[in-house]
Amino acid sequence: MLAFSTATMVAALAVQTVDPLPVAPVPVAPSTVVADEQRVPESPVVPVSPPVVPVSPPVVPVAPVAAPQTVPVPAPVPAEPNAQKDIVVVGQSRDAGDPLRGVNAQAFGATQAVDSAVVGPVARVYKRKVPSPIRKGIHNFLYNLREPIVFVNFLLQFKPGKAAETVGRFVINSTVGAAGVIDVAKKRPFRLPRRSNGFANTLGYHGIGNGPFLFLPLVGPTTVRDLIGGTLDRLLLPTAIGSPFTDASYTVPAGVLGALDHRADFDETLKCLHDDVGDPYASSRAFYLHRRQAEIDHLHRRPPAPPPECQAALPATRIPVGAAGATETVPPPGP
C-alpha cells in the first residue's frame, strides 16, 4: 500500500510537473516570437506596405479616368466654333448665292459643249467674213431699240436728267443716224453717251438682292432678279408697241444676229475666262456677278469693287452672258 501510494504520488507529481511545463512555454513562446518580430524592423514594414500598395493603385486608375474626362471636354469646344466658322466661310466665298451649283455646273458644261461645237465657230466666221461697218451697224441698230427700256428705268430710278438724255439719243439716232445704224448722238456736238439700264438694274437699285445664281442652258449666267428683270425688258416693246416686235419675221432674225454679234465681240474675253482656268464655271460666275454689281454701284455712284481677271478685255458697254448672248450691258466708266 505504501509502495502504491508512493507510486501514485510520484505519478501525480509527474503529471503536475508536466502540466505546468506545457502551459508555461505557451505564453513564453509567443512572447518570444513577438519580441523577435518586433526586434526586426523590416518585418513590420513588409506587412504594412502591402496595404499601402493596394491603396495607391486605386489612385492611379482614378487619375486616368479624370484625364480622359478632361481631354474630351476641350476637344469638342474648339471643334464646334471651327466647324461653324468653316460653314460661314464656305457659304460666303465659294457658294454664296449658288445653292444650285451642281445643276448650274452641268448646264455650264452642256452650254460650253454647244458653244465649242456650233455657236463659237459660227460667231468667229461671222466676225471674219462680215465687214466691220456692217457688224457695227447691226450692233448700233439693236442697241438703239433698247433706248426706250433704258428711258423707262431711269425714270423708275428717279434720274430724270439721264432719262432726258436717253430720249435725245433715241430721237437723234433714229432720225439722223438712219434708224440707229449710226451712233450719231455720241459724237459732237451732241456727246450723249450710251448708257445701260433695265428692270433688273431698277430692282437692284431699290435694294432687291440677286437671289440664287443660275446658269441656264444656251442662255448663260443670270440670277433670279436678273431673270425677272430681263423678262420684263423683253416684254416692254411687244406689249407697248406690238408689231413688228411680236412678229417672228423680226424676232427670229434679231435674236440670231444679236447672239452672233454678242458672241463675236466677247470671243477673247470668254477664252480668258474659260481657257487654262482651274474652274471655268466659278470664273464665269465671279465675272458675271462682278459686272452686274458694277452696274448697281454705278447707279448709286459708288466705287466698284476690284475687277476679276479679263476685265480689261471686256468692252465698256457690254458683258458676256453665255453662248446665246443675252442683251445685258454695263455702263461706261465714269460718273
Side-chain angles (χ1 to χ4, degrees):
M1 291 292 294
L2 181 60
F4 175 75
S5 57
T6 304
T8 302
M9 294 176 61
V10 171
L13 292 172
V15 172
Q16 292 176 358
T17 308
V18 172
D19 289 340
L21 287 175
V23 173
V26 170
V28 170
S31 63
T32 305
V33 173
V34 172
D36 293 339
E37 291 176 354
Q38 291 176 352
R39 280 193 298 267
V40 179
E42 298 176 355
S43 298
V45 173
V46 172
V48 172
S49 61
V52 174
V53 171
V55 170
S56 61
V59 175
V60 172
V62 170
V65 171
Q69 291 177 354
T70 304
V71 171
V73 170
V77 171
E80 291 180 0
N82 288 341
Q84 293 175 356
K85 181 188 248 179
D86 293 340
I87 292 173
V88 171
V89 170
V90 170
Q92 291 181 349
S93 63
R94 184 175 175 237
D95 290 328
D98 192 6
L100 302 175
R101 178 184 172 89
V103 177
N104 289 335
Q106 292 180 357
F108 174 80
T111 302
Q112 287 306 112
V114 175
D115 181 78
S116 299
V118 181
V119 181
V122 173
R124 284 187 282 271
V125 170
Y126 169 80
K127 187 175 183 178
R128 284 198 312 269
K129 300 298 183 180
V130 178
S132 177
I134 297 178
R135 288 190 290 106
K136 191 172 183 180
I138 293 173
H139 171 82
N140 291 336
F141 172 79
L142 294 175
Y143 272 80
N144 187 60
L145 293 177
R146 286 185 54 84
E147 297 292 6
I149 301 172
V150 175
F151 163 75
V152 170
N153 282 278
F154 273 134
L155 290 180
L156 294 175
Q157 296 159 12
F158 313 114
K159 298 180 181 295
K162 287 185 172 57
E165 291 181 358
T166 303
V167 172
R169 274 186 54 82
F170 180 71
V171 171
I172 294 170
N173 286 338
S174 297
T175 54
V176 182
V181 173
I182 304 172
D183 191 355
V184 179
K186 72 177 181 180
K187 302 175 182 178
R188 294 179 180 178
F190 307 108
R191 292 187 178 277
L192 297 174
R194 175 182 292 154
R195 293 188 175 95
S196 168
N197 215 337
F199 285 100
N201 287 1
T202 299
L203 295 175
Y205 179 80
H206 291 294
I208 298 177
N210 284 323
F213 178 80
L214 303 172
F215 199 101
L216 303 181
L218 304 181
V219 174
T222 185
T223 62
V224 172
R225 183 192 67 193
D226 291 353
L227 186 62
I228 295 173
T231 302
L232 294 176
D233 290 347
R234 290 166 177 79
L235 291 176
L236 180 62
L237 293 180
T239 303
I241 300 176
S243 182
F245 300 104
T246 56
D247 299 339
S249 58
Y250 164 79
T251 57
V252 173
V256 172
L257 289 174
L260 291 176
D261 174 63
H262 178 87
R263 180 60 178 82
D265 278 356
F266 296 109
D267 188 58
E268 294 301 322
T269 301
L270 294 176
K271 286 181 180 179
C272 181
L273 292 173
H274 300 160
D275 297 349
D276 300 325
V277 176
D279 190 348
Y281 166 77
S283 175
S284 299
R285 180 188 62 190
F287 187 81
Y288 174 83
L289 293 177
H290 176 271
R291 296 299 302 221
R292 294 296 293 119
Q293 186 59 45
E295 293 191 39
I296 308 301
D297 292 339
H298 179 79
L299 291 172
H300 286 286
R301 296 183 177 272
R302 293 193 298 249
E309 296 180 1
C310 303
Q311 182 84 19
L314 186 66
T317 57
R318 310 190 58 200
I319 139 184
V321 294
T327 54
E328 296 293 346
T329 60
V330 296

